[in-house]
């Protein structure tokens, strides 16, 4: 049986740069960082910065909160809002959705640490009287697509994927294959993350994966810049409606290729070459046909240089001519949701013919010889490679082709 092409027909971003397609696109084009001091944990735990959604209110997107599971976690609320926004963008009502053969697939790297910590502290303070049974259900990653099912009033198949920071991309790749193979006609998919709690922030800072200072916070996330130090942890989500190629709705981009691979023990980001080659082979494309790269580029001294090295190895002499960008200077890294937000960025970039800025890229680093810009670039492009990398030596790549 011929595999069907799969297109993105609805985009629902929930990010520090903006919520909803239009607000997000406007925000991600601004050469502005949303990283700010994050004081929610209190002074005893030391300085933190983050790009966070200060005024997020699920009631703006869901009028009837009784449809939500009791105690739904913050990352679940992000995903629900994103799913509703993606359906609205695609022009699909809840009633229409019930008549379609569909599924829901989400990717997140972490359980709800806020809920887990709250439940643990409740037991410490109150003993058995403090036990909260709902913690089992609301903190589990499977509760995210289940909550979307409940809100939409559907009974579709669901899947939750956890593969470190590649989770959101892996969810989209998995969902794409469901549609391509004919198992379903439509999938609501994407990634969501809300890690801004005492744990894992303390551990991430101790591991050197988020800054130890609040000085000049808007300058701390500096992808590929000579003076970068480490990435900045953030929160957010991006959900999508993806459909078979012959659906009546207009598509943004085809999801043409997907691949994943692991690094060798001594080869940081080395697996990105394999995942990129697999994604391009899946799309039946050659490296010379890629017209833009949406890089992982978290602003980490070693990871950025390693990704740049691998891209140079993959694209050889073509690399200087390919525009490259990273959104992490603008919104930090919302872990498993980051690659899903990158997909939203790339699909909108293809439609509008604009490459968003790599915010805070100012001083070129010889170890990162990439075609970067700190300002938006009007460049028509039809084929984009998107990179993701995560703890555990995992990598994933996705290829989008403009519809």
């Amino acid at each position: 049986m011929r595999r069907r092409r799969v297109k993105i027909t609805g985009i629902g971003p929930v990010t520090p740069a903006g919520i909803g397609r239009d607000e997000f696109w406007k925000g991600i084009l601004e050469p502005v960082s949303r990283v700010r001091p994050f004081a929610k944990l209190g002074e005893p735990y030391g300085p933190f910065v983050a790009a966070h959604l200060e005024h997020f209110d699920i009631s703006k997107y869901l009028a009837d909160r009784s449809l939500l599971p009791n105690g739904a976690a913050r990352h679940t609320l992000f995903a629900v809002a994103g799913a509703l926004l993606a359906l609205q963008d695609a022009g699909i009502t809840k009633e229409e959705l019930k008549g379609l053969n569909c599924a829901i697939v989400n990717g997140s790297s972490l359980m709800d640490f806020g809920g887990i910590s709250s439940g643990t502290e409740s037991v410490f303070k109150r003993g058995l009287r403090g036990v909260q049974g709902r913690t089992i259900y609301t903190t589990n990653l499977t509760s995210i697509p289940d909550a979307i099912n409940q809100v939409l009033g559907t009974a579709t198949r669901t899947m939750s994927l956890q593969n470190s920071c590649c989770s959101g991309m892996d969810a989209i790749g998995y969902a794409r294959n469901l549609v391509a193979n004919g198992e379903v006609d439509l999938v609501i998919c994407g990634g969501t993350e809300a890690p801004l709690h005492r744990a894992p922030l303390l551990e991430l800072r101790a591991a050197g994966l988020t800054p130890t200072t609040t000085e000049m916070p808007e300058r701390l996330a500096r992808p590929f810049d000579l003076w970068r130090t480490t990435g900045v942890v953030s929160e957010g989500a991006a959900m999508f409606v993806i459909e078979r190629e012959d659906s009546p709705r207009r598509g943004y981009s085809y999801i043409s290729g997907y691949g994943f691979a692991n690094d060798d023990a001594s080869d940081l980001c080395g697996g990105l070459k394999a995942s990129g080659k697999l994604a391009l082979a899946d799309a039946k494309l050659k490296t010379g046909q890629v017209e833009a790269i949406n890089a992982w580029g978290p602003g980490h001294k070693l990871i950025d240089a390693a990704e740049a090295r691998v891209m140079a190895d993959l694209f050889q002499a073509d690399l200087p001519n390919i525009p490259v960008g990273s959104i992490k200077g603008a919104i930090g890294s919302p872990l498993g949701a980051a690659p899903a937000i990158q997909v939203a960025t790339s699909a909108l970039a293809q439609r509008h013919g604009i490459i968003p800025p790599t915010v805070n890229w100012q001083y070129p680093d010889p170890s990162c010889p990439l075609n970067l810009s700190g300002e938006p670039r009007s460049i028509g492009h039809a084929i984009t490679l998107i990179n993701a990398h995560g703890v555990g030596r995992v990598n994933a790549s996705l290829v989008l082709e403009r519809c």
Side-chain angles (χ1 to χ4, degrees):
M1 184 183 73
R2 184 182 71 88
R3 296 189 83 203
R4 302 186 295 191
R5 296 191 81 185
V6 180
K7 62 185 180 182
I8 298 170
T9 59
I11 300 176
V14 180
T15 82
I19 300 176
R21 182 197 65 186
D22 293 341
E23 186 180 334
F24 168 72
W25 182 239
K26 178 182 177 182
I28 207 66
L29 289 180
E30 296 174 345
V32 174
S33 174
R34 270 69 184 187
V35 176
R36 300 288 183 269
F38 185 70
K40 184 178 178 181
L41 302 188
E43 292 185 4
Y45 297 104
F48 282 100
V49 295
H52 54 290
L53 287 88
E54 295 184 68
H55 306 296
F56 175 79
D57 182 358
I58 188 62
S59 299
K60 293 181 179 179
Y61 315 99
L62 178 65
D64 186 1
R65 291 199 60 159
S66 68
L67 297 173
L68 286 168
N70 188 28
R74 186 170 173 85
H75 60 194
T76 300
L77 300 182
F78 289 166
V80 167
L84 292 171
L85 288 165
L87 286 167
Q88 181 183 19
D89 186 39
I92 301 174
T93 67
K94 289 184 181 181
E95 290 306 313
E96 288 175 309
L97 187 67
K98 292 176 183 177
L100 299 173
N101 178 19
C102 59
I104 302 170
V105 181
N106 179 72
S108 300
S109 69
L110 298 173
M111 295 174 66
D112 174 27
F113 272 70
I116 294 170
S117 297
S118 175
T120 303
E121 290 174 2
S122 179
V123 173
F124 283 156
K125 290 178 180 179
R126 303 177 58 204
L128 290 178
R129 291 179 302 164
V131 175
Q132 302 172 7
R134 72 184 187 195
T135 301
I136 293 295
Y137 304 99
T138 59
T139 62
N140 198 307
L141 295 180
T142 57
S143 67
I144 300 171
D146 183 56
I148 296 172
N149 239 345
Q150 291 186 52
V151 166
L152 297 177
T154 52
T156 67
R157 289 192 295 160
T158 68
M159 176 62 68
S160 182
L161 301 181
Q162 192 280 340
N163 194 31
S164 188
C165 287
C166 296
S167 299
M169 185 176 290
D170 290 326
I172 297 168
Y174 181 92
R176 173 260 193 174
N177 288 340
L178 290 178
V179 179
N181 294 334
E183 292 188 51
V184 296
D185 295 325
L186 179 151
V187 183
I188 298 169
C189 60
T192 186
E193 207 81 73
L196 303 182
H197 303 287
R198 183 178 61 196
L201 280 180
L202 288 170
E203 290 78 10
L204 287 165
R205 189 178 61 188
L209 296 176
T210 201
T212 59
T213 178
T214 57
E215 186 177 353
M216 298 181 66
E218 71 283 356
R219 298 288 290 163
L220 287 175
R222 304 172 66 94
F224 301 112
D225 187 83
L226 179 65
W227 302 110
R228 69 191 182 278
T229 54
T230 188
V232 174
V233 176
S234 63
E235 62 179 1
M239 303 300 290
F240 304 86
V241 173
I242 68 171
E243 303 187 65
R244 66 185 192 276
E245 59 188 312
D246 59 349
S247 85
R249 285 163 285 277
R250 180 189 180 191
Y252 289 91
S253 306
Y254 292 108
I255 304 173
S256 295
Y258 164 65
F260 64 93
N262 295 81
D263 300 339
D264 291 336
S266 60
D267 188 17
L268 179 63
C269 291
L272 274 176
K273 181 179 179 180
S275 65
K277 291 175 68 175
L278 288 167
L280 288 167
D282 189 28
K284 298 180 174 58
L285 295 170
K286 297 180 180 180
T287 55
Q289 294 174 273
V290 172
E291 298 173 296
I293 299 172
N294 193 315
W296 180 242
H300 187 281
K301 192 71 177 178
L302 299 179
I303 295 172
D304 286 12
E307 181 181 9
R309 171 183 54 80
V310 172
M311 290 300 99
D313 192 21
L314 178 61
F315 288 97
Q316 302 287 321
D318 291 326
L319 186 61
N321 300 318
I322 303 173
V324 179
S326 169
I327 62 172
K328 307 298 172 54
I331 64 168
S333 179
L335 306 182
I341 299 172
Q342 290 173 242
V343 172
T345 304
S346 293
L348 290 167
Q350 287 187 347
R351 172 167 288 189
H352 295 284
I354 302 175
I355 306 291
T358 299
V359 174
N360 285 333
W361 181 80
Q362 186 176 1
Y363 300 100
D365 182 352
S367 70
C368 301
L370 302 173
N371 186 343
L372 298 154
S373 174
E375 298 292 332
R377 290 177 281 179
S378 294
I379 301 175
H381 58 289
I383 299 174
T384 304
L385 175 69
I386 307 169
N387 291 337
H389 171 80
V391 173
R393 302 199 296 270
V394 296
N395 305 273
S397 299
L398 205 72
V399 175
L400 294 189
E401 287 190 71
R402 186 178 63 217
C403 287

